Amino acid sequence: MIRGVPSNLNGDRMEMVAFVRRPGWGLLFGALAVMAWPAMACAQTPSASTADNTGLDFFRPPPNLFQLQYEYRTAPGSTRDVTTDTLNLRYDHAFYLSPTWTVVTRTDLPLLARNTINSSNPNGDYLYGIGDADIQAAVIHDLDTRWAVGFGLRLIAPTGADPLGSGKWRTMPIVGFRMALPEISKSSYFEPIFRYDVSVAGDPTRRNISNLQFGPTLNIGLPERWFVTFFPSQDIRYNFGDPITGQTGRLFLPFDVRVGKKISDQIAASVEVGVPIVKDYPVYNFKGQFRLNVTW
């Protein structure tokens, strides 16, 4: 964790070497290799259904995706709201095993700035550093032209220092289905996805995590490659774990919408906004997000 940008280049190089040698990172990249290896020898023929994909559809992955995501979020703190700015770097790769079976791998590297007030930061200055990185693998099966099902698993590593990370190793099983809505437009679909975020190891003094996450995504394709998506993220939460600051119940229910456009065959941009309706479990007070997707 740093409080600005270091000026010593040699020092930066030494810190980077030390960072890569952390045991958590070795396990993280090792797990990614294990998940990706079984599919690497298989034929990789892109599905025709990805021809006009924005890279945001879980069940219609492009062969390769690089996503630059910036998010601004405010959430309740112990004495005032806490602001978190996140720049997330994402890379997805799809392995097309057959015309109806696909394996997709994903890696995320979040870079955070947060102004939490705690004993090590009593003035609430912005702290900068790496958050909790993750890897994910998912299996997708097309039942027919309308229906698809999928499941996956995400592994989240405690690579972020306090207060930028959770301090916990976490797993996140994922399951969902897709129903195409060609009656509306060829790029419209309904896609409910469930995830369960649970901590399995890590710092015993940090809060245990156990919450169900849900997103009943409804994407409406509009003319000229515009689209609007309702509940695009799995932000509906029900907390079974330790309570967080400001919690009075277990449910968090936001209104969440995304508007975007496919700028070219390879580039899509979108803006997402989320505000709470029910905030008994206060995940955020406000969320604003920008995504730039490059596919190839």
Side-chain angles (χ1 to χ4, degrees):
M1 181 173 62
I2 57 176
R3 292 177 178 267
V5 180
S7 59
N8 189 310
L9 183 59
N10 292 329
D12 285 355
R13 187 176 296 111
M14 293 177 65
E15 290 179 6
M16 179 61 70
V17 171
F19 174 75
V20 171
R21 289 178 178 173
R22 288 184 182 178
W25 273 101
L27 180 58
L28 187 67
F29 291 117
L32 177 60
V34 169
M35 287 192 293
W37 178 255
M40 290 182 67
C42 300
Q44 299 180 33
T45 304
S47 168
S49 62
T50 66
D52 198 32
N53 200 314
T54 60
L56 296 168
D57 186 345
F58 180 86
F59 292 90
R60 293 292 183 267
N64 294 280
L65 163 72
F66 175 74
Q67 181 182 96
L68 183 68
Q69 174 187 309
Y70 169 74
E71 181 179 283
Y72 172 85
R73 177 182 296 211
T74 63
S78 56
T79 59
R80 59 159 171 76
D81 286 353
V82 174
T83 299
T84 303
D85 293 275
T86 304
L87 179 64
N88 188 65
L89 307 177
R90 170 172 291 175
Y91 174 67
D92 291 2
H93 183 67
F95 300 90
Y96 302 99
L97 308 184
S98 75
T100 60
W101 288 94
T102 305
V103 172
V104 188
T105 59
R106 166 172 292 178
T107 57
D108 285 308
L109 179 63
L111 310 175
L112 272 63
R114 180 175 292 162
N115 63 348
T116 303
I117 295 177
N118 57 22
S119 57
S120 62
N121 187 34
N123 296 325
D125 297 329
Y126 272 97
L127 304 176
Y128 302 85
I130 295 174
D132 288 348
D134 65 75
I135 57 174
Q136 175 179 300
V139 178
I140 298 167
H141 179 46
D142 292 328
L143 302 176
D144 53 36
T145 57
R146 181 181 289 271
W147 296 94
V149 296
F151 63 92
L153 182 67
R154 179 177 295 182
L155 173 65
I156 305 168
T159 52
D162 186 23
L164 302 179
S166 66
K168 296 286 189 177
W169 285 93
R170 294 143 57 196
T171 61
M172 184 182 289
I174 305 166
V175 64
F177 68 89
R178 183 187 197 272
M179 181 178 69
L181 300 173
E183 300 85 356
I184 301 176
S185 67
K186 66 178 183 179
S187 57
S188 296
Y189 56 86
F190 175 60
E191 196 170 271
I193 295 177
F194 290 88
R195 309 189 308 194
Y196 197 86
D197 187 6
V198 58
S199 55
V200 294
D203 187 346
T205 66
R206 303 292 294 276
R207 181 178 67 88
N208 290 315
I209 297 169
S210 177
N211 63 80
L212 178 65
Q213 306 178 1
F214 175 52
T217 301
L218 174 62
N219 185 81
I220 306 297
L222 302 174
E224 299 183 1
R225 289 180 155 183
W226 286 90
F227 60 90
V228 59
T229 312
F230 299 96
F231 298 101
S233 301
Q234 291 73 50
D235 281 355
I236 300 174
R237 309 285 173 89
Y238 196 84
N239 186 36
F240 296 99
D242 295 342
I244 63 176
T245 301
Q247 181 172 334
T248 59
R250 296 185 182 272
L251 178 64
F252 178 76
L253 174 63
F255 176 73
D256 187 22
V257 64
R258 175 187 294 154
V259 177
K261 177 178 174 61
K262 189 160 187 184
I263 301 170
S264 71
D265 288 344
Q266 289 78 36
I267 300 175
S270 63
V271 175
E272 180 179 340
V273 174
V275 292
I277 301 172
V278 178
K279 198 173 62 171
D280 297 338
Y281 170 53
V283 176
Y284 55 73
N285 295 330
F286 173 81
K287 181 185 79 170
Q289 188 182 97
F290 171 77
R291 299 191 189 204
L292 180 68
N293 284 6
V294 180
T295 60
W296 67 96

